[in-house]
Amino acid sequence: MTGLSWFVAFLFVFGVLAYHRASLIIWTISFALLGIFVSTYHGFTVAVALMWLLFGALFLTLNVSAWRQRFITKYLFKFYLNVMPSMSKTEREAISAGTVTWEGDLFRGNPDWNKLLNQTPAKLTQEEEGFLAGPVETLCRMIDNWDITHTRMDLSPEVWSYIKQQGFFGLIIPKEYGGKQFSAYAHSQILVKLSGRSVTVASIVAVPNSLGPAELLLHYGTQDQKEYYLPKLAKGEEVPCFALTSPIAGSDAGSMTDNGVVCWGEYLGQKTLGIRLNFDKRYITLAPVATVVGLAFKLYDPDHLLGEKEDIGITCALIPRNTQGVTIGRRHFPLDNPFQNGPIQGKNVFIPVDWIIGGVAQAGKGWRMLMESLAAGRSISLPANTMGGAKVAAYATGAYSRIRRQFNMPIGKFEGVEEPLARIGAYTYLMDAARTFAVASVDAGEKPSVASAIVKYHATELGRKIACDSMDIHGGKGICLGPKNYLGRNYEAAPIAITVEGANILTRNMIIFGQGVIRCHPYVLAEMEAARLTNPHDALAAFDKAVTKHVAFAISNVVRALVLGITGSYFVKAPPGKMKRYYQQATRFSSAFAFLVDVCMLTFGGHLKRKETISARLGDILSYLYLLSATLKFYHDQGENSEDLPLVRYACLTCLFEIQERFDEIIKNFPNRMLAWILKVLIFPVGERFCKPMDKLNRKISQLLMAPTASRNRLSAGAFLSAENNVLADMQNALVQTIAAEPIDKVISTAKKEGLITGYTYLDQANAALEAKIITQEQYDLCMQAMQSRMKVIAVDDFSNEELARTDTNEEIKIDNVIPHPRVGGEV
């Protein structure tokens, strides 16, 4: 054999071992065997002797940990300490909060698809189904969204009372405290149904069950605090809010100026150890009607009354509304949606230290408490609220596209309408898949911090696109507000969901990848923890263990990215069926992503978190891999309905195209152009092959949405579609009658063209056709019913000046002025 042959053999063995991520001992044995073959074939020559010398030096050093640490790892560790990014306390607490779910598998570059498909899907209990079919359905029927958003600028007293009496504020509270103790999926389904009816109502129900006093008390409160507050919260006797954002500190909680100083003061006539608070909060949902305020502030102890620390850190406390010094009650007006939201101020507010959530033991741990709560909650409330609007939009816009006619044909048959209508359908399917996948993880006991950020960001962004596409298709019908409008308020509310619980710009640029690379990468967190160890020997040993595996992992991903790119990933093991190619392509991009992440970390080091456009695109790749995975699982869990294939294919192709585009954008903007060229060759060795979904797919999805198909029913499942007091029921009725009348309309149109009848209007022509016995009386009646139903649906509201003026019918929500609250955990 020639030297070239042996080199090819070397590359083959190297590639196979790297591709399959062989252990170090397997690498050693494999190359030892290759060396024996070379020695046997060529004899013991100088070249062979040098080969064995190199082999011994390399593999002995790698296999003997003491030698490896002395000659290799020690220098890598020094380099790592120089480039490791600095992190603030709030950053460390945010990163350490929550757990890692499927996104961790995607970071490994070789996801186990059977593991994904075997995960327990989200499911409702019989009790949860009963609540949705009973109280939630009843509440939806009670809602008059025009009355709420225009006339009252608030819920009616009857709706407020019903929400409290039926336990809508206690969905997450355990039964032992009088709550419902529902699953995350049930919580999400309730909000989906309500939000399609009224964003205002859904927001009011969401807040007490999301990031707020109940959630924090459940996980961190003292037993006394739980026993006092949770039953009252569950019954609606206490209305909670949580005050975090301030004029100075929005996304940057570390800059919070709201503060409390530990001191002695007087409470209920007794000398009491407490906290003197000064704060200024805004954007606080339910604040105007809240009876108890959850407050985040920085706590200081200059006199060391609690311990040696002076700067204790962010702390959370519960403060009754009527506490002296608290100013509350005024309202913000977020984009014409009148859910209760407003500012809270406090000046020289004295509270006992017992009011800290969890007591003194939890002082300074507030930020971690909030991040851990958001890790789960972020995947529930906002995605569900957006999902409700998307389901209504898909259901109604598909029907409207069939009912509304221009140029003698349904507008949905125009290619210009088919394109946005297909987006509405596919994006709704994609959102539902991601939302369901994430809440199933929560119900499995996880707190998926990275996954929840992914779902929150993409659900709200896709929701905004769906709202815009729906408005474009509806035209004037969409922009004229009034009782007949079912799109306008959700369209107005779209930016609100984009903004809260971590503004989407922040979420995309800093959270998804910033947290993801540390929490989800198999070795980065271990390396960082090793670097923080104070014992040099232990630090080096821990770093050596992590970095050795990391280097092997990186080499493997280089090989896997190239091999899968060349082969088109056809040989990747994947679940059989019509989705097999999507699984295979996802595996390919997962390997390429893992490779690119390591290259970026090596290139930018600690500066990567400041390269926000690069890190945002890396986060996009991870996000779309997660969304693609969720779509495939959703299709599998729903029984692989073949009728849904156009929706599934559109969603999958969109994800793959977006992943490809983000890779391309990173490579084009990579500062080291030589390295960028190498990345291009390794990740796209045969070029970029994915494109946006084809036009024929748009047509198939449009046809699914413009008829009462099973796919359309599945897509809108969970929305409020009942006939009573619901314009969507009118829409469905008009759709069914329009479809039934279409063959008759065609007969009338043909008769007109052939000169058999005359008439300037459709009504004239139908009357003429009946007189000429071209259609029967029964057919005529069906056409008239369809025409009346269509006119009812396409009608818009109009008002006199007096009617349009908002009248002062708002009835004040009474807040019990109980004074003062007992010192929970202490004396009354």
Side-chain angles (χ1 to χ4, degrees), residues 217-261:
L217 283 170
L218 279 173
H219 297 291
Y220 312 104
T222 65
Q223 192 59 37
D224 285 346
Q225 289 172 341
K226 291 177 183 179
E227 290 175 358
Y228 178 79
Y229 275 114
L230 290 179
K232 294 177 181 292
L233 291 169
K235 295 175 185 177
E237 294 175 5
E238 295 277 13
V239 177
C241 70
F242 193 85
L244 175 61
T245 306
S246 67
I248 300 299
S251 301
D252 179 15
S255 63
M256 184 186 300
T257 57
D258 310 292
N259 64 86
V261 177

Side-chain angles (χ1 to χ4, degrees), residues 131-143 162 168 720:
F131 190 78
L132 278 160
V136 179
E137 188 82 5
T138 300
L139 178 57
C140 286
R141 287 194 178 97
M142 293 174 67
I143 292 170
Y162 189 81
F168 279 89
F720 177 70

Side-chain angles (χ1 to χ4, degrees), residues 23 38 101 109 195 203 211 234 369 392 394 405 425 437 451 473 573 605 625 687 707 723 725 806:
S23 65
V38 173
T101 56
S195 62
S203 299
L211 178 62
M369 291 160 59
V392 166
R405 300 175 67 89
F437 186 34
I473 291 173
K573 184 179 179 181
L625 282 169
N725 188 28
R806 287 177 169 134

Side-chain angles (χ1 to χ4, degrees), residues 704-747:
L704 288 177
L705 296 187
M706 291 194 298
T709 62
S711 289
R712 179 168 173 264
N713 291 338
R714 280 189 289 272
L715 207 59
S716 58
F720 177 70
L721 305 175
S722 300
E724 185 181 334
N725 188 28
N726 191 359
V727 69
L728 295 181
D730 297 335
M731 181 75 72
Q732 178 70 1
N733 183 53
L735 174 63
V736 172
Q737 292 183 355
T738 296
I739 293 173
E742 282 177 348
I744 308 169
D745 291 341
K746 188 174 182 180
V747 170

Side-chain angles (χ1 to χ4, degrees), residues 465-780:
K465 292 176 182 178
I466 289 171
C468 290
D469 281 336
S470 300
M471 292 292 281
D472 286 349
I473 291 173
H474 278 77
K477 167 70 176 175
I479 65 173
C480 290
L481 292 176
K484 296 184 178 71
N485 190 304
Y486 43 82
L487 293 177
R489 294 307 191 196
N490 284 79
Y491 174 81
E492 290 177 324
I496 301 173
I498 298 286
T499 302
V500 298
E501 287 191 9
N504 277 8
I505 290 177
L506 167 77
T507 303
R508 176 176 180 259
N509 285 273
M510 300 180 70
I511 295 177
I512 293 176
F513 182 74
Q515 284 188 313
V517 70
I518 296 174
R519 289 306 310 274
C520 303
H521 193 287
Y523 306 111
V524 167
L525 183 59
E527 290 165 348
M528 295 182 71
E529 289 175 343
R532 284 197 285 267
L533 294 176
T534 56
N535 185 298
H537 180 270
D538 293 343
L540 181 60
F543 183 79
D544 173 75
K545 182 179 180 180
V547 80
T548 301
K549 293 179 180 179
H550 192 163
V551 170
F553 175 75
I555 293 171
S556 172
N557 287 322
V558 173
V559 173
R560 289 177 61 83
L562 178 61
V563 170
L564 295 179
I566 291 172
T567 62
S569 66
Y570 275 99
F571 303 107
V572 171
K573 184 179 179 181
K578 296 178 180 179
M579 298 293 104
K580 182 176 181 179
R581 287 297 295 143
Y582 297 122
Y583 287 110
Q584 291 175 326
Q585 294 289 5
T587 297
R588 172 202 168 184
F589 278 140
S590 177
S591 292
F593 171 66
F595 161 57
L596 183 59
V597 167
D598 281 332
V599 171
C600 288
M601 288 194 296
L602 185 64
T603 302
F604 299 111
H607 298 291
L608 179 57
K609 73 176 184 179
R610 299 300 178 200
K611 297 289 184 181
E612 292 172 19
T613 53
I614 297 291
S615 64
R617 290 169 180 139
L618 289 168
D620 288 343
I621 295 172
L622 176 62
S623 294
Y624 283 112
L625 282 169
Y626 185 90
L627 297 178
L628 176 57
S629 303
T631 300
L632 294 170
K633 178 166 174 57
F634 195 58
Y635 175 68
H636 170 80
D637 290 344
Q638 287 198 328
E640 300 187 353
N641 299 292
S642 58
E643 190 181 36
D644 295 344
L645 280 174
L647 295 164
V648 181
R649 294 191 190 282
Y650 192 111
C652 291
L653 288 171
T654 297
C655 289
L656 290 171
F657 174 75
E658 294 294 343
I659 291 168
Q660 173 186 272
E661 291 301 289
R662 297 308 180 276
F663 273 119
D664 184 61
E665 290 168 4
I666 292 171
I667 292 169
K668 285 179 177 175
N669 289 279
F670 213 78
N672 186 321
R673 297 314 301 157
M674 178 59 72
L675 187 53
W677 180 83
I678 295 172
L679 289 172
K680 182 80 170 180
V681 171
L682 291 173
I683 296 174
F684 298 112
V686 294
E688 299 170 16
R689 309 299 292 272
F690 292 101
C691 61
K692 291 183 178 180
M694 304 294 283
D695 293 346
K696 61 182 180 181
L697 206 52
N698 293 341
R699 186 165 299 110
K700 289 179 180 179
I701 294 175
S702 297
Q703 290 169 354
L704 288 177
L705 296 187
M706 291 194 298
T709 62
S711 289
R712 179 168 173 264
N713 291 338
R714 280 189 289 272
L715 207 59
S716 58
F720 177 70
L721 305 175
S722 300
E724 185 181 334
N725 188 28
N726 191 359
V727 69
L728 295 181
D730 297 335
M731 181 75 72
Q732 178 70 1
N733 183 53
L735 174 63
V736 172
Q737 292 183 355
T738 296
I739 293 173
E742 282 177 348
I744 308 169
D745 291 341
K746 188 174 182 180
V747 170
I748 295 172
S749 177
T750 301
K752 175 69 167 58
K753 289 178 182 178
E754 293 175 354
L756 300 177
I757 59 174
T758 59
Y760 295 111
T761 67
Y762 174 79
L763 182 60
D764 291 340
Q765 293 166 17
N767 287 328
L770 178 63
E771 290 177 8
K773 300 188 183 304
I774 294 173
I775 60 173
T776 66
Q777 182 66 47
E778 183 180 359
Q779 290 174 321
Y780 175 83

Side-chain angles (χ1 to χ4, degrees), residues 124-125 127-137 139 162-195 201-215 218-219 229-238 240 286 377 380-381 384-385 435 442-443:
L124 296 171
T125 65
E127 181 186 3
E128 292 166 347
E129 289 178 346
F131 190 78
L132 278 160
V136 179
E137 188 82 5
L139 178 57
Y162 189 81
I163 286 173
K164 293 177 181 180
Q165 290 173 3
Q166 295 299 320
F168 279 89
F169 285 174
L171 301 179
I172 65 171
I173 295 175
K175 293 179 184 295
E176 62 183 291
Y177 297 109
K180 301 295 184 183
Q181 200 173 346
F182 282 167
S183 64
Y185 183 53
H187 180 185
S188 179
Q189 289 294 90
I190 291 166
L191 294 180
V192 165
K193 197 161 197 171
L194 293 177
S195 62
V201 175
S203 299
I204 287 171
V205 170
V207 169
N209 296 291
S210 182
L211 178 62
E215 176 80 9
L218 279 173
H219 297 291
Y229 275 114
L230 290 179
K232 294 177 181 292
L233 291 169
K235 295 175 185 177
E237 294 175 5
E238 295 277 13
L286 288 186
I380 301 174
S381 299
N385 281 2
R435 170 191 72 97
V442 176
D443 283 334

